[in-house]
Amino acid sequence: AQTVTQSQPEMSVQEAETVTLSCTYDTSESDYYLFWYKQPPSRQMILVIRQEAYKQQNATENRFSVNFQKAAKSFSLKISDSQLGDAAMYFCVAGGTSYGKLTFGQGTILTVHP
Amino acid sequence: KAGVTQTPRYLIKTRGQQVTLSCSPISGHRSVSWYQQTPGQGLQFLFEYFSETQRNKGNFPGRFSGRQFSNSRSEMNVSTLELGDSALYLCASSPTGHEQYFGPGTRLTVT
């Protein structure tokens, strides 16, 4: 079984600044994946970035990067040069060997101020 | 490639009725998963289909069922609707079963 915890219900950032969203997870599996998804007001769930647990190198995707601390079971998302379009609900998500099942955190609402 | 599509986008039903939601995955994706999203419970996994077989199921009552066709399109059915079934239902497809790509969802309101 997997659990995902996001302790920040809401975060805000000024446009062009950097913000970090926190996430901790728990899993009994040795082979698992971690993701960050965003869900803007349109409700369309969008994959932002993925991290394979067996990879030590932190994933990056343009302005988005993660800090994956496997021993601490921590998986934070850093958004650099924040843009108004980054405003959304961000979900930390875990996937493993359970076919097709992703486990979502509670989400963090990110507000970007111009 | 076209993304995941879901129909209908909005639906209003009455308690006791049944409803069928449809999902067309990204071309080439054989895995389709369904999720229920509510303000109180967040996102919860319903079930996953791969090559017309249900491989995994979440903790939902038997009123929730699904199927997948040979072209990978999937349908989800909810029978004897309850007020608590009001939710956004999300379908996602995957090439590997790991990263998933979501459709826009179907907003179901039960009155």
Side-chain angles (χ1 to χ4, degrees), chain A residues 33 35 37 39 42-45 47 50 91 96 98-102 104, chain B residues 33 35 37 43 45 48 55-56 88 97-104 107:
Chain A
Y33 298 76
F35 309 90
Y37 281 84
Q39 188 177 40
S42 68
R43 309 300 275 175
Q44 174 77 55
M45 193 74 73
L47 176 62
R50 66 174 268 171
F91 292 96
S98 184
Y99 291 123
K101 177 181 179 180
L102 296 179
F104 285 74
Chain B
S33 297
Y35 296 85
Q37 185 176 21
L43 278 125
F45 171 75
E48 187 256 8
R55 296 195 301 184
N56 202 358
L88 180 68
H98 298 303
E99 78 276 11
Q100 296 180 11
Y101 299 88
F102 285 79
R107 169 75 64 185

Side-chain angles (χ1 to χ4, degrees), chain A residues 11-13 17-21 77-80 82 110:
Chain A
M11 292 282 285
S12 64
V13 64
E17 297 293 308
T18 296
V19 64
T20 298
L21 308 184
L77 174 71
K78 185 172 82 170
I79 306 174
S80 304
S82 297
L110 177 67

Side-chain angles (χ1 to χ4, degrees), chain B residues 65-85:
Chain B
S65 63
R67 59 177 175 169
Q68 186 180 35
F69 301 94
S70 58
N71 61 358
S72 293
R73 189 177 70 84
S74 178
E75 287 182 347
M76 189 191 98
N77 184 274
V78 187
S79 63
T80 318
L81 283 166
E82 301 177 359
L83 294 178
D85 297 333

Side-chain angles (χ1 to χ4, degrees), chain B residues 6-9 11-13 16 18 20 23 28 31 37 39 41 47-48 54 56 71 75 80 82 92 99:
Chain B
Q6 292 186 245
T7 56
R9 293 293 310 279
L11 208 48
I12 300 175
K13 289 288 188 178
Q18 75 165 20
T20 299
C23 171
S31 170
Q37 185 176 21
Q41 299 298 316
F47 30 66
E48 187 256 8
Q54 185 184 88
N56 202 358
N71 61 358
E75 287 182 347
T80 318
E82 301 177 359
E99 78 276 11

Side-chain angles (χ1 to χ4, degrees), chain A residues 19-31:
Chain A
V19 64
T20 298
L21 308 184
S22 301
C23 170
T24 57
Y25 65 93
D26 196 12
T27 181
S28 57
E29 302 183 31
S30 57
D31 183 18

